[in-house]
């Protein structure tokens, strides 16, 4: 079998990682060092050289775009469709598992997924039912408390209040939120991961099935995994001696790729230390370092190496390139944000005056709030610009409205979707009507849809007089009154 298409495009370090003997593997991949290439070529190597079935491979990454790119590269390498490979994000694979095993996961068959906005809307509803002031109990903070504990694998019953009344209230809100989700047949994104973990943990025969199937588990961007994601991977590919199943074969071969120098999602619960935990939990793991960079100049890499060297807790690597040395880095310490914007505007003018094009200039900033000062400076200088970013397609109001209608069609107990569309388009259903409906639903223990269907309908009882009567003398129909709905 000709393996040259798999091996020839790789450098020495990449080739060593791709062809590593079976067993736990940790690849420290620096920025621009070809980690996606290593992952895809590793999968191709397993299938072509080691004779692994495509059905026995599970590859996990963090974005749908990365998963799609990985799948297409593998298809090109192997010359075969990649449909049999399980490649996706943690959330996507967890969702797939829960759809297949909804009964074992104690979910309704047509369960729906709440996005962040829908989750906050449900939390507001719970706060109102508990008669709690949103100025004191901010929905966003309650949401963070719930999601953070789910990311750590903790249910309300696992939490202790420590004699703190505020924490005790948050725990009660967490419990009420879980009850509301179960009643409405919905899950949030954090719940997907926690429920998929509990699915395997609480169903040993099911876990044994997937351990036998997915002998090879590959994880991208391992520095961005949180506690529940790492625990999920350990369940599927446990360290020795738990890794041997009934037939004596190893239950999983984890192959993880990450970079502790690129961990920027701590605020989302990411744990860069999972890279070090992997070395501790899998003591027989092989370590490979990808240090050749294909993206940046030598000057940029030297500056990056010098800065990150101050981090004493890193596993360590030193990026280098065989490419150009590049231009020196220039640092300007601005007096304030307006001085910074004026300096950038002046540099762009200089660039254009020397024959450069505006489209060759990019300005990077850490938060969207910083764009305002730059935009004001460009408008004042009559300099055209374009801001990239903004709302994603599925975050647009009209798209979320349409999806809410579809979710409500599929699941009439989805209260979050009902509340979103009950007055879209406007039907004269105001806050008071919705409050009354919530009270009725709470009293009956039903969904808002069921409560609305159970309410007696007003009927139009007024009848027209004979057609010969003038419009002025006809009795007014209740249907023509703004305050009456028939």
């Amino acid at each position: 079998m000709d393996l040259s298409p798999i091996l020839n495009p790789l450098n020495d370090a990449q080739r060593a990682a791709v062809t590593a003997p079976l067993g736990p593997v940790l690849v420290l991949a620096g920025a621009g060092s070809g980690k996606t290439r290593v992952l895809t070529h590793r999968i191709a190597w397993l299938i072509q050289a080691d004779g692994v079935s495509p059905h026995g491979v599970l590859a996990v990454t963090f974005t749908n775009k990365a998963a799609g790119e990985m799948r297409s590269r593998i298809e090109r390498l192997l010359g075969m469709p990649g449909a049999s490979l399980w490649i996706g994000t943690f959330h996507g694979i967890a969702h797939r598992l829960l759809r297949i095993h909804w009964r074992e996961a104690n979910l309704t068959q047509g369960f729906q997924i709440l996005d962040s906005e829908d989750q906050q809307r449900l939390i507001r509803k719970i706060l109102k039912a508990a008669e709690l002031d949103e100025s004191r109990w901010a929905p966003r903070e309650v949401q963070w408390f719930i999601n953070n504990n789910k990311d750590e694998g903790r249910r309300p019953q696992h939490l202790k209040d420590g004699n703190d009344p505020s924490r005790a209230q948050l725990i009660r809100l967490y419990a009420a939120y879980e009850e509301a989700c179960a009643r409405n047949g919905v899950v949030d994104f954090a719940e997907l991961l926690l429920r998929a973990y509990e699915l395997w943990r609480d169903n040993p025969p099911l876990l044994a099935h997937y351990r036998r199937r997915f002998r090879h588990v590959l994880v991208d961007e391992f520095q961005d995994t949180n506690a529940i994601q790492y625990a999920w991977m350990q369940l599927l590919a446990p360290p020795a001696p738990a890794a041997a199943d009934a037939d004596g074969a190893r239950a999983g071969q984890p192959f993880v790729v990450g970079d502790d120098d690129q961990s920027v999602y701590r605020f989302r619960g990411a744990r860069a230390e999972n890279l070090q935990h992997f070395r501790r939990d899998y003591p027989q793991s092989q370590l490979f370092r990808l240090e050749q960079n294909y993206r940046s100049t030598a000057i940029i890499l030297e500056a990056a190496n010098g800065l990150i060297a101050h981090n004493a807790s890193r596993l360590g690597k030193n990026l280098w390139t065989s490419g150009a040395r590049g231009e020196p880095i220039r640092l300007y310490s601005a007096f304030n944000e307006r001085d910074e914007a004026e300096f950038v505007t002046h540099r762009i003018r200089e660039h254009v005056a020397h024959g450069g094009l505006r489209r060759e200039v990019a300005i990077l900033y850490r938060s969207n709030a910083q764009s305002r000062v730059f935009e004001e400076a460009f408008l004042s200088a009559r300099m055209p610009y374009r801001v990239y970013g903004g709302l994603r397609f599925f975050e647009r109001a009209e798209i979320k409205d349409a999806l809410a209608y579809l979710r409500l069609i599929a699941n009439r107990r989805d209260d979050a979707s009902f509340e979103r569309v009950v007055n879209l388009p406007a039907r004269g259903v105001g806050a008071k009507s919705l409050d009354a409906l919530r009270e009725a639903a709470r009293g009956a223990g039903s969904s808002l849809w069921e409560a609305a269907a159970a309410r007696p309908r007003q009927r139009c009882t007024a009848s027209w007089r004979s057609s010969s009567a003038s419009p002025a003398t006809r009795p007014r129909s209740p249907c023509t009154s703004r305050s009456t709905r028939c």
Side-chain angles (χ1 to χ4, degrees), residues 277-309:
H277 292 169
F278 185 88
R279 295 276 287 168
R280 178 198 67 198
D281 297 334
Y282 298 85
Q284 304 303 318
S285 63
Q286 306 162 77
L287 175 64
F288 298 91
R289 288 179 171 87
L290 305 184
E291 298 175 307
Q292 184 174 1
N293 179 281
Y294 294 92
R295 184 182 301 161
S296 303
T297 62
I299 288 285
I300 296 293
L301 295 177
E302 288 171 8
N305 286 332
L307 284 173
I308 201 66

Side-chain angles (χ1 to χ4, degrees), residues 312-374:
S313 62
R314 59 198 292 262
L315 290 171
K317 60 188 174 302
N318 193 61
L319 298 182
W320 60 276
T321 181
S322 58
R325 181 152 184 82
E327 297 182 7
I329 298 171
R330 299 178 184 179
L331 174 65
Y332 177 74
S333 297
F335 179 70
N336 56 30
E337 68 273 14
R338 296 195 179 277
D339 181 35
E340 179 186 26
E342 290 173 4
F343 172 78
V344 170
T345 304
H346 177 69
R347 289 298 306 274
I348 295 173
R349 280 175 170 163
E350 283 187 343
H351 176 72
V352 173
H354 287 85
L357 301 175
R358 292 190 185 94
R359 67 168 176 263
E360 296 171 336
V361 178
I363 299 171
L364 307 180
Y365 44 82
R366 292 290 295 173
S367 68
N368 289 330
Q370 292 177 274
S371 71
R372 180 181 61 84
V373 179
F374 286 107

Side-chain angles (χ1 to χ4, degrees), residues 17 25-36 38-39 60-62 218-225 255-263 271-276 278-279 286-291 314-317 319:
V25 174
L26 169 60
V27 180
L28 281 181
S33 62
K35 65 180 179 60
T36 304
V38 166
L39 277 169
V60 189
T61 185
F62 271 81
L218 299 93
V219 183
D220 191 12
E221 305 288 5
F222 199 68
Q223 77 279 356
D224 291 331
T225 55
F255 185 99
V256 304
V257 180
D259 183 5
D260 50 355
D261 295 340
Q262 294 189 68
S263 180
R271 292 183 172 185
E273 57 267 28
N274 282 346
L275 288 163
Q276 296 178 353
F278 185 88
R279 295 276 287 168
Q286 306 162 77
L287 175 64
F288 298 91
R289 288 179 171 87
L290 305 184
E291 298 175 307
R314 59 198 292 262
L315 290 171
K317 60 188 174 302
L319 298 182

Side-chain angles (χ1 to χ4, degrees), residues 24-234:
V25 174
L26 169 60
V27 180
L28 281 181
S33 62
K35 65 180 179 60
T36 304
R37 173 175 289 182
V38 166
L39 277 169
T40 54
H41 284 245
R42 173 66 172 184
I43 293 173
W45 175 266
L46 289 172
I47 294 172
Q48 294 278 30
D50 291 333
V52 172
S53 167
H55 294 277
V57 175
L58 174 68
V60 189
T61 185
F62 271 81
T63 67
N64 289 318
K65 182 179 179 181
E69 174 66 18
M70 192 182 299
R71 186 183 300 276
S72 63
R73 287 194 190 188
I74 293 170
E75 288 176 344
R76 289 195 297 270
L77 272 175
L78 298 179
M80 57 177 279
S84 58
L85 294 166
W86 275 45
I87 301 176
T89 65
F90 273 104
H91 290 92
I93 289 177
H95 182 210
R96 184 174 180 178
L97 284 169
L98 295 178
R99 288 293 180 197
I100 296 172
H101 304 290
W102 57 272
R103 283 193 185 89
E104 295 92 333
N106 296 317
L107 290 169
T108 59
Q109 185 173 13
F111 71 87
Q112 301 297 318
I113 301 174
L114 293 176
D115 63 16
S116 180
E117 186 179 329
D118 291 334
Q119 188 182 18
Q120 282 193 43
R121 187 180 293 109
L122 180 56
I123 289 170
R124 285 192 175 94
K125 177 181 173 183
I126 292 167
L127 289 171
K128 188 161 190 176
E131 299 182 347
L132 295 175
D133 187 355
E134 286 190 20
S135 63
R136 170 69 178 84
W137 304 95
R140 188 177 295 274
E141 293 179 9
V142 177
Q143 180 184 36
W144 180 88
F145 179 84
I146 293 171
N147 291 343
N148 182 65
N149 278 292
K150 287 188 178 186
D151 287 342
E152 295 295 322
R154 296 188 292 255
R155 295 289 187 190
Q157 61 270 25
H158 302 144
L159 302 177
K160 307 245 183 235
D161 59 29
N163 295 321
D164 181 346
S166 295
R167 181 172 173 82
Q169 182 62 69
L170 285 170
I171 295 172
R172 287 193 293 271
L173 289 171
Y174 183 6
Y177 172 82
E178 286 210 322
E179 291 172 4
C181 286
R183 186 169 58 250
N184 297 335
V186 295
V187 298
D188 54 47
F189 284 104
E191 182 71 18
L192 288 174
L193 297 175
L194 179 54
R195 190 69 68 105
Y197 169 78
E198 292 172 341
L199 171 71
W200 280 346
R201 183 198 65 191
D202 300 337
N203 293 274
L206 190 63
L207 174 60
H209 164 76
Y210 280 105
R211 280 182 177 177
R212 287 191 295 271
R213 174 172 178 176
F214 294 126
R215 302 282 189 185
H216 303 276
V217 183
L218 299 93
V219 183
D220 191 12
E221 305 288 5
F222 199 68
Q223 77 279 356
D224 291 331
T225 55
N226 59 28
I228 197 66
Q229 289 164 343
Y230 186 52
W232 184 86
M233 187 210 73
Q234 282 190 299

Side-chain angles (χ1 to χ4, degrees), residues 405 421-429:
Y405 270 109
V421 301
V422 68
N423 204 36
L424 287 173
R427 300 182 180 90
V429 180

